[in-house]
Amino acid sequence: MGGYGTAYSGMINMSPSPEFLDRKMHFVMWGSNIPTTHNPKAFSWTKGIENMKNHGGTVKFIGPELSEIGIAQANEWIRIKPYTDVALILGMLYHMLDLTFDENGNINQDGLDVNYLDKMVYGFFETPEYWRNKTTGEISFDNKSADTNYIYVAAIPAGQSFSAYIMGDDARLTKAKYSASQNYMAQQFASKVDKRNTSVAKFSFANIQNTKYDYKKQMNVKKTPKWAEKITGVPEAKIKELAEFYLKCAKDKVPVYNEWAGGQLKQNDGTITLYALQALLIISKNWGITGTGIANNAIGVSKTTDPNQITASLLRPAAWDDGTIAKMGPHPKISVTQWHNAIKMAFSKELAANGYKPNIPDWVKASGKGKPKYIAGKKGQVYFDDGGVKSLVNRQGITGVGKDSPATFTVNNIEVTMPDGTKRSVTHEYYDFKDNKVSTGGTLVDQTDNVTFSGFRFILNSAGNIPINQHANPIDSARMYKALPTYGYGPYPTGNMADAFYLVTFDNFMSPSARYSDYVLPAKTTWEQEDFVTIENSGTLYVDSVIPGPGESKSSWDFVRELIYHYGGKDSAVNFTGLQSNSSFRDVVQKQYNENIKTNAQSPYYGKTWDEFIKKPISHAKPKTERVDMVTHSTRTAYESKGAMDAFYPNVTTADWSNDSGVFGFGNDLYDTKIHSFAETESCPKQTGMFQVYSGTLVWRYENLFSKWHGYLPKAKQGQINKDEEGDPVAYPIPVYFNYQDHFRVAYGLNSNDDLKGRYLLTTTHDRFRAHSSQAENPYLRELTHRTIGGALYSGNDSGTYAVSNGDDVSFPALNSLIGEDGKPVAGAEQRASYADIWVNDEDFADYNDGDLVKVSNEIGAVYCTIRKTARCVPGYVGLHQGCWYDPREINGETVDVGGNCNTLMPSTPSRLDHGNGVQSAMVKIERV
């Protein structure tokens, strides 16, 4: 599971063990390609699917590019345009409602289980406010706020339930009566308001007549299968067939397992896709039996592991449990994808003075509450009003390391809106900051000009290529790095170390990120150091070094140990190793092995010497051969044991999300329960105990996240502002389809969605021959992924010249020396110079030849690629595998990446709800070179 919003719906943990069963079940892959992206699972997947098919199961693949697993195992490919999954789901749900209610609102028996929806699902229909007993399930319309046995359930606003949004201006649900349903909840609601929806869809906007957002124009229309067909490209009949497939699976209790692609989360609105997919399963009643549900990378070979085998946990020195992590104290954390934003906030003045110009059109051109316009040198700017980055002000000596009880201050009588819509004045608590002018009991003021924006001033990049190649636009990142102040060297030196920026890379290769680093520290490869490795479908294995590392390279262990020694002293290093300050990882493993492993009569290594162990360090784990039987979840069992007229409390979603525990997708409070991000929690809507397809909590957390760190701002600027530049919401409580054209128009700084006509939708899938950007320089794998102009695979292509060291010269010439400054092969290298492939639909590019060199571009950047024509892409879609190394050329006044790095075409726009990695989607123009 994962993704913003999914935890609130209640689907989490509602699918006991999503496994392939020895019985009939079905498998729907929403763009998934796990056997390629997670290759060790390929065999178990293949065997599991074969077994499933032998029992009459089917496999459906839904995606714009038919993946390897789709070719090998799918019974059918449902061709869909990228970024339109939510529209497909909405069309399916409309058809389900169409089968459930006739034009007069009468209930048919061919559709959804309405009694179940009334008792178990919050927000699908409109309901009044009420209090529900958390033990008996009985509801009361009298105020029970003083009774802890009751939970408050807020009313769903008229015309804004999830079903109202789906039905649009179709009025049949305004005729449907609760009193016609013989279940406890419906009869109770009927005593207050008998209509299931008192209004058709009624979403209002600040200026709908002049809006530039197409999605706003679609909010109040019917989401019919025909409507969805125009958006997704999936035929109306197929959408209806899919809807009926899910309904039949639910009624027959045939498991249908849904696998979502990890790439969903790396699109602007991908997390909403997961919310919508969970809503589909909740509403259609596909949950709570083994094999049914939604997950990612969850199916594999189950295994049993010997608890006495050698593992990292058995080798932890006692000194590691001395509370070191706890001593870190509360400190703000931000999304891993917003590091560039944190750097720019910290060095806005210096970047402006040194000539940095953003390569992000919507940052430069945007104006409004949600997306600040970039003004060179303006203090404390953040991109997309990211609350995490806004938290990074100087708190030296106040919060963080050694501050278990950090300094705070409180401000009284700040007005907030409560879940029932009333206003109340409550006390807010904030983490203190350096040079704060407001004391406890004071009044909040804007101290933007008073605080120091610390941001990010040092990044340790360990074996990663994120700083230039992944998670942000490399053209913009390169411009930024070149304009940052450095200590004692470079074009913009500073005499104060605290005023400089440092990027330090610890890696095996001179990757693009290493090339832009201030310091590069050579790391040993896997076979040059001792380590533990975890083998898929098996267990943990200790691996000794095979050969020594070259030159000054160090293992990860030695790098950390020496860093601790030089920073904290000898005692700290001893504390880290549990032995001597200079003890190797092998020393630690050998000591623990001799004392605790070989002496354990239950251990598979009992009595064996260290040398015997090293010669055969077996991983003691074995696959389970038996398959689990279908199990019904306890919540579903409890529901099914009750009569329709019995009161029942589902107890599905009971977590208090005003605390900071375990919300997927936030990046700030995933693991550290000591971090409390909210200045107040009284106004947070509580979970209802039901499944939720309407979540006020989701919106509240978006608006209030990080607010406890924002005491330097007035209330209106704290958290994350839930307004776009037209004054309308960014986050909604229901899964909304946001037209992809709206996102790209804003990202590219265009005036109208019409400016996007004629472009292709691009996504970036994983490549079989790389792991993200790792192995991009591997000469043997490059032969399998890069083609010469004309489309040929040439043995040896550029393997002898690509990314080859040039000795002491640190000017770093082009990675691919066979491609000249004009982006074309140098003389004599026409049969060797190779480019990344971009996959295109063969009918879209009928006038092109396979292997033509093309320029792929938009307002963000440009790359050169060779095209690969295929029927495996839907029309209008192109695919450029992610992870190629950034290799720029200046051609006719434009930066063109001949390395084929897909991020060159991506804005650094964070995803809508969680401000995470939204850099796997673009719209591009393609032309011959």
Side-chain angles (χ1 to χ4, degrees):
M1 299 275 290
Y4 187 108
T6 55
Y8 309 119
S9 73
M11 269 297 291
I12 191 169
N13 298 325
M14 279 298 156
S15 175
S17 184
E19 298 186 34
F20 293 122
L21 309 176
D22 261 334
R23 55 164 291 164
K24 184 178 181 180
M25 65 175 290
H26 301 291
F27 190 19
V28 181
M29 292 183 282
W30 293 79
S32 179
N33 194 18
I34 291 297
T36 291
T37 60
H38 205 81
N39 191 258
K41 288 194 172 180
F43 178 76
S44 61
W45 267 56
T46 300
K47 301 305 290 184
I49 290 175
E50 287 176 356
N51 179 71
M52 185 189 73
K53 286 183 174 180
N54 289 336
H55 287 84
T58 58
V59 179
K60 301 179 188 295
F61 181 87
I62 302 174
E65 177 186 319
L66 186 59
S67 66
E68 282 85 352
I69 193 64
I71 292 173
Q73 298 292 358
N75 295 88
E76 67 171 325
W77 174 25
I78 298 173
R79 297 164 172 82
I80 187 173
K81 293 178 183 178
Y83 330 129
T84 64
D85 303 66
V86 175
L88 172 63
I89 291 169
L90 293 173
M92 293 167 61
L93 290 172
Y94 182 95
H95 184 58
M96 291 180 186
L97 282 165
D98 190 37
L99 293 172
T100 307
F101 295 93
D102 66 20
E103 294 299 320
N104 296 314
N106 299 312
I107 298 175
N108 299 318
Q109 300 303 314
D110 297 330
L112 297 165
D113 184 340
V114 178
N115 288 336
Y116 152 77
L117 292 171
D118 289 340
K119 298 183 74 171
M120 292 284 289
V121 182
Y122 171 72
F124 190 59
F125 299 118
E126 186 181 326
T127 52
E129 71 170 357
Y130 60 93
W131 281 258
R132 194 170 190 178
N133 189 294
K134 293 184 288 186
T135 302
T136 66
E138 294 177 342
I139 69 174
S140 172
F141 298 111
D142 297 328
N143 191 320
K144 297 284 187 178
S145 56
D147 190 338
T148 57
N149 293 316
Y150 282 81
I151 189 168
Y152 174 74
V153 181
I156 302 296
Q160 296 186 25
S161 67
F162 191 35
S163 62
Y165 170 65
I166 295 166
M167 300 304 284
D169 54 3
D170 185 325
R172 74 182 72 184
L173 292 183
T174 65
K175 305 171 187 177
K177 295 183 178 181
Y178 276 117
S179 57
S181 296
Q182 295 303 307
N183 69 74
Y184 172 77
M185 298 293 282
Q187 292 297 308
Q188 294 296 312
F189 296 149
S191 68
K192 297 292 288 186
V193 180
D194 199 16
K195 295 180 179 179
R196 289 190 171 274
N197 285 339
T198 61
S199 171
V200 296
K202 190 170 63 176
F203 295 89
S204 59
F205 301 96
N207 189 1
I208 191 65
Q209 290 78 18
N210 298 311
T211 183
K212 292 185 177 181
Y213 286 88
D214 282 348
Y215 94 84
K216 297 177 184 179
K217 301 172 185 176
Q218 302 292 318
M219 287 289 285
N220 294 321
V221 304
K222 293 189 286 284
K223 313 304 185 297
T224 65
K226 192 67 177 177
W227 169 87
E229 177 184 18
K230 294 177 182 178
I231 295 169
T232 65
V234 180
E236 177 185 13
K238 179 59 66 175
I239 295 173
K240 292 180 177 180
E241 179 186 316
L242 264 176
E244 292 169 23
F245 164 79
Y246 275 91
L247 286 175
K248 181 171 175 52
C249 287
K251 289 180 179 179
D252 296 344
K253 284 194 174 181
V254 175
V256 52
Y257 171 67
N258 296 262
E259 173 81 22
W260 57 271
Q264 297 274 19
L265 290 180
K266 297 166 188 166
Q267 301 167 10
N268 187 64
D269 298 307
T271 49
I272 302 172
T273 300
L274 300 186
Y275 189 11
L277 182 51
Q278 290 212 13
L280 169 66
L281 301 182
I282 290 169
I283 292 163
S284 62
K285 207 177 175 182
N286 280 286
W287 63 273
I289 56 175
T290 305
T292 285
I294 173 176
N296 171 253
N297 194 18
I299 289 185
V301 172
S302 298
K303 60 177 183 283
T304 56
T305 302
D306 190 325
N308 298 295
Q309 70 171 306
I310 190 167
T311 64
S313 60
L314 289 176
L315 299 175
R316 285 174 62 91
W320 289 6
D321 297 318
D322 67 345
T324 299
I325 300 299
K327 292 177 182 177
M328 290 296 293
H331 51 285
K333 299 178 183 179
I334 69 170
S335 167
V336 69
T337 62
Q338 289 301 292
W339 50 269
H340 59 95
N341 192 2
I343 294 171
K344 292 169 184 174
M345 183 186 75
F347 292 97
S348 58
K349 181 179 179 180
E350 293 86 347
L351 288 170
N354 298 340
Y356 162 72
K357 294 182 179 180
N359 192 49
I360 306 174
D362 66 330
W363 196 357
V364 179
K365 296 184 179 181
S367 60
K369 298 177 181 178
K371 293 186 276 292
K373 182 176 181 179
Y374 178 81
I375 301 173
K378 183 180 178 182
K379 194 174 182 182
Q381 292 185 95
V382 292
Y383 182 42
F384 262 73
D385 195 56
D386 188 284
V389 176
K390 286 197 305 190
S391 304
L392 301 177
V393 301
N394 191 353
R395 304 176 192 274
Q396 187 175 3
I398 299 171
T399 63
V401 177
K403 293 290 180 181
D404 291 329
S405 299
T408 60
F409 67 99
T410 57
V411 177
N412 302 324
N413 300 320
I414 299 178
E415 187 176 79
V416 297
T417 301
M418 302 302 289
D420 63 1
T422 61
K423 302 291 185 180
R424 183 185 300 176
S425 293
V426 301
T427 297
H428 288 51
E429 182 180 49
Y430 300 99
Y431 288 121
D432 208 352
F433 50 91
K434 199 168 184 179
D435 300 323
N436 181 16
K437 304 300 182 186
V438 177
S439 57
T440 290
T443 302
L444 289 173
V445 294
D446 194 331
Q447 300 188 68
T448 301
D449 294 329
N450 186 48
V451 298
T452 300
F453 290 96
S454 52
F456 279 5
R457 295 170 181 265
F458 181 99
I459 294 179
L460 174 59
N461 174 42
S462 181
N465 205 1
I466 285 177
I468 198 75
N469 214 74
Q470 315 283 104
H471 287 194
N473 180 266
I475 297 176
D476 184 68
S477 297
R479 290 181 183 178
M480 176 186 71
Y481 290 131
K482 290 178 180 179
L484 287 168
T486 50
Y487 178 64
Y489 76 97
Y492 307 109
T494 177
N496 187 345
M497 293 183 69
D499 294 332
F501 174 79
Y502 304 86
L503 174 59
V504 179
T505 290
F506 178 62
D507 206 345
N508 311 129
F509 305 105
M510 285 302 297
S511 67
S513 294
R515 288 175 166 228
Y516 282 87
S517 297
D518 299 284
Y519 300 93
V520 180
L521 308 175
K524 289 183 177 180
T525 59
T526 300
W527 51 88
E528 293 166 351
Q529 61 181 307
E530 307 87 10
D531 203 354
F532 277 106
V533 295
T534 300
I535 303 171
E536 189 72 45
N537 302 331
S538 186
T540 303
L541 188 67
Y542 172 76
V543 178
D544 210 11
S545 59
V546 178
I547 57 174
E552 297 180 332
S553 63
K554 294 186 183 297
S555 67
S556 300
W557 172 273
D558 286 338
F559 170 64
V560 173
R561 178 183 55 77
E562 292 188 25
L563 188 65
I564 291 172
Y565 182 92
H566 289 289
Y567 181 77
K570 182 177 180 180
D571 290 345
S572 295
V574 169
N575 190 45
F576 170 72
T577 66
L579 294 174
Q580 305 299 316
S581 62
N582 62 346
S583 295
S584 68
F585 186 66
R586 195 177 199 267
D587 294 335
V588 173
V589 176
Q590 186 171 359
K591 179 178 184 295
Q592 297 296 323
Y593 178 84
N594 289 331
E595 293 179 358
N596 301 317
I597 306 299
K598 77 173 186 178
T599 57
N600 180 0
Q602 303 302 314
S603 171
Y605 309 107
Y606 178 64
K608 294 184 179 180
T609 67
W610 172 256
D611 288 338
E612 288 175 322
F613 165 71
I614 287 298
K615 289 179 181 178
K616 197 174 183 180
I618 301 171
S619 173
H620 289 269
K622 57 183 179 181
K624 293 180 181 177
T625 55
E626 72 278 6
R627 295 187 181 273
V628 299
D629 195 7
M630 190 174 79
V631 177
T632 302
H633 193 279
S634 59
T635 299
R636 182 155 184 164
T637 299
Y639 165 73
E640 291 175 348
S641 69
K642 297 288 185 178
M645 292 302 296
D646 293 335
F648 172 67
Y649 184 66
N651 201 34
V652 173
T653 55
T654 57
D656 182 1
W657 296 121
S658 63
N659 294 323
D660 300 310
S661 56
V663 178
F664 292 95
F666 275 112
N668 177 70
D669 49 16
L670 278 175
Y671 309 112
D672 192 345
T673 57
K674 295 182 64 177
I675 296 175
H676 299 290
S677 297
F678 306 110
E680 61 85 21
T681 59
E682 293 181 52
S683 63
C684 179
K686 301 299 187 287
Q687 297 294 91
T688 63
M690 306 169 73
F691 287 118
Q692 299 197 175
V693 295
Y694 182 105
S695 178
T697 311
L698 183 155
V699 176
W700 184 92
R701 283 190 64 106
Y702 180 87
E703 295 174 349
N704 289 274
L705 192 64
F706 308 102
S707 59
K708 191 170 181 177
W709 299 96
H710 297 164
Y712 70 94
L713 293 169
K715 174 65 177 177
K717 293 185 178 181
Q718 293 172 13
Q720 299 176 145
I721 299 172
N722 190 18
K723 297 287 184 183
D724 63 19
E725 66 271 26
E726 293 182 353
D728 299 315
V730 173
Y732 288 83
I734 58 176
V736 168
Y737 172 64
F738 294 97
N739 303 49
Y740 57 80
Q741 296 95 332
D742 290 337
H743 163 61
F744 293 121
R745 172 186 56 78
V746 175
Y748 302 159
L750 303 175
N751 292 319
S752 167
N753 288 359
D754 290 340
D755 296 334
L756 295 166
K757 288 182 178 179
R759 302 197 189 193
Y760 297 92
L761 288 162
L762 179 146
T763 65
T764 62
T765 57
H766 285 258
D767 193 289
R768 176 184 290 180
F769 305 104
R770 281 193 304 273
H772 298 291
S773 74
S774 297
Q775 306 298 330
E777 80 301 326
N778 187 311
Y780 302 106
L781 296 181
R782 283 182 65 80
E783 290 183 8
L784 301 174
T785 60
H786 285 63
R787 295 170 185 262
T788 60
I789 296 175
L793 288 172
Y794 182 82
S795 180
N797 51 45
D798 54 22
S799 61
T801 55
Y802 183 83
V804 174
S805 171
N806 55 341
D808 295 331
D809 182 4
V810 294
S811 61
F812 300 124
L815 284 168
N816 196 334
S817 60
L818 299 184
I819 298 178
E821 291 302 313
D822 61 355
K824 299 178 181 178
V826 298
E830 291 82 1
Q831 299 303 313
R832 294 181 59 209
S834 62
Y835 299 82
D837 278 337
I838 185 167
W839 288 37
V840 301
N841 177 269
D842 47 8
E843 295 180 2
D844 283 344
F845 287 81
D847 295 335
Y848 284 69
N849 296 314
D850 206 46
D852 279 354
L853 184 65
V854 295
K855 175 184 176 183
V856 184
S857 65
N858 55 25
E859 286 71 15
I860 305 295
V863 300
Y864 278 4
C865 301
T866 52
I867 66 167
R868 188 172 184 183
K869 298 168 65 174
T870 176
R872 287 172 56 184
C873 296
V874 300
Y877 163 87
V878 296
L880 179 60
H881 290 155
Q882 63 109 330
C884 289
W885 281 8
Y886 178 61
D887 192 8
R889 305 287 189 275
E890 295 301 320
I891 302 174
N892 299 323
E894 180 182 22
T895 301
V896 178
D897 174 21
V898 301
N901 181 288
C902 60
N903 281 30
T904 308
L905 300 163
M906 309 293 172
S908 297
T909 311
S911 52
R912 177 181 297 268
L913 291 183
D914 56 358
H915 290 188
N917 184 348
V919 291
Q920 277 201 339
S921 49
M923 291 193 77
V924 297
K925 299 171 283 187
I926 298 180
E927 55 189 309
R928 282 192 181 91
V929 175

